[in-house]
Amino acid sequence: MSYRAKVPKPTVKRLSLYLRELEHRVEQKQPTISSRQLGDALGLTDAQVRKDLAYFGQFGHPGIGYDVTNLVDRLRKILGTDRTWNTALIGAGNLGRALMAYGGWQQRGFDIVAVFDQNPDLVGQWLENHRIRPMSDLAMLVKERDIRLAMIAVPADRAQEVADRLIAAGVRGILNFAPRRLDVHQAVSISSVDLALSLEQLAFQVSLGLLGSLDEDDD
């Protein structure tokens, strides 16, 4: 079944939140959960939970709720994390090293299989069991290691060039940490994380005395 175009982006973001909460319930050995329980845990209404899940088919049973393990499996399949995604990291500076130090990539279904940098002082060094490779090796390793996703952790003035090279090499999805908008000509899927922008928005909220989450989106 194809969900393309009809599923709102905020719904997709909430699916990841549902999955994390449900995985926590699996660890607690909770067999079932209601839409109200799931919504309460995330600050959402039970109606919102049911509406989000309804985009993807029938879930749960009236009076019983959702089978937690089954719902985890189905959400992983919907999100594409029921398989492993070979991923590259571009940029082995401070941010790149911090990303590599995160221990949860493989648990979430992402295997970082190559690290690249253009700095000759870094190329050849080891970073978390990966030898840092020069950018000249990018196209070859993307093909050899079936790399589908990449994270960009380079300065803003280099990010577009890196994105262009990733697209040319055949990468299908980019997570961009550089503080600039990248033009990918709809050739790949892209998501950007601008830490400074997030802090600016948070400062705005605090300066006005507003409470609540900035992560809440309209439907």
Side-chain angles (χ1 to χ4, degrees):
M1 178 179 180
S2 174
Y3 313 117
R4 184 178 301 176
K6 75 173 185 176
V7 181
K9 290 182 179 179
T11 291
V12 178
K13 290 176 64 175
R14 286 191 292 267
L15 290 185
S16 292
L17 298 179
Y18 298 152
L19 178 57
R20 280 161 177 74
E21 179 62 27
L22 290 164
E23 288 171 337
H24 176 62
R25 301 301 177 108
V26 168
E27 293 174 356
Q28 295 181 324
K29 303 186 184 304
Q30 179 176 334
T32 61
I33 190 171
S34 68
S35 57
R36 181 176 297 276
Q37 288 174 315
L38 185 54
D40 286 348
L42 298 170
L44 301 168
T45 66
D46 55 334
Q48 183 68 70
V49 173
R50 292 193 300 271
K51 179 180 178 181
D52 288 341
L53 295 179
Y55 283 106
F56 306 95
Q58 180 65 39
F59 296 83
H61 302 279
I64 299 176
Y66 307 107
D67 180 289
V68 173
T69 300
N70 177 263
L71 189 51
V72 165
D73 290 342
R74 292 185 66 179
L75 287 179
R76 284 176 177 167
K77 185 173 183 179
I78 291 168
L79 289 167
T81 57
D82 58 334
R83 57 190 184 275
T84 298
W85 294 87
N86 288 349
T87 305
L89 171 66
I90 317 300
N94 291 335
L95 178 55
R97 291 176 183 274
L99 291 170
M100 286 297 293
Y102 171 62
W105 296 122
Q106 284 193 320
Q107 181 183 356
R108 308 305 313 175
F110 306 101
D111 187 9
I112 299 180
V113 297
V115 179
F116 300 89
D117 203 285
Q118 73 164 7
N119 185 343
D121 293 333
L122 294 178
V123 171
Q125 293 186 20
W126 288 88
L127 179 57
E128 299 289 335
N129 298 319
H130 290 283
R131 186 184 292 276
I132 300 171
R133 307 295 290 262
M135 289 297 292
S136 57
D137 288 351
L138 179 66
M140 174 187 68
L141 288 179
V142 165
K143 183 177 181 180
E144 285 184 358
R145 301 183 182 180
D146 191 27
I147 295 172
R148 308 298 300 278
L149 306 179
M151 296 186 288
I152 295 179
V154 303
D157 60 355
R158 287 194 52 234
Q160 184 63 58
E161 174 197 351
V162 169
D164 292 342
R165 295 182 69 168
L166 287 169
I167 293 169
V171 166
R172 303 305 301 157
I174 294 172
L175 179 58
N176 172 43
F177 286 93
R180 64 162 294 177
R181 180 183 179 277
L182 300 181
D183 187 355
V184 298
H185 308 290
Q186 296 188 333
V188 298
S189 297
I190 186 167
S191 179
S192 294
V193 178
D194 188 329
L195 301 178
L197 181 62
S198 295
L199 279 173
E200 288 173 2
Q201 294 174 353
L202 184 62
F204 169 77
Q205 182 132 327
V206 171
S207 69
L208 294 182
L210 301 176
L211 303 178
S213 174
L214 282 170
D215 298 325
E216 294 175 357
D217 296 289
D218 295 331
D219 294 344

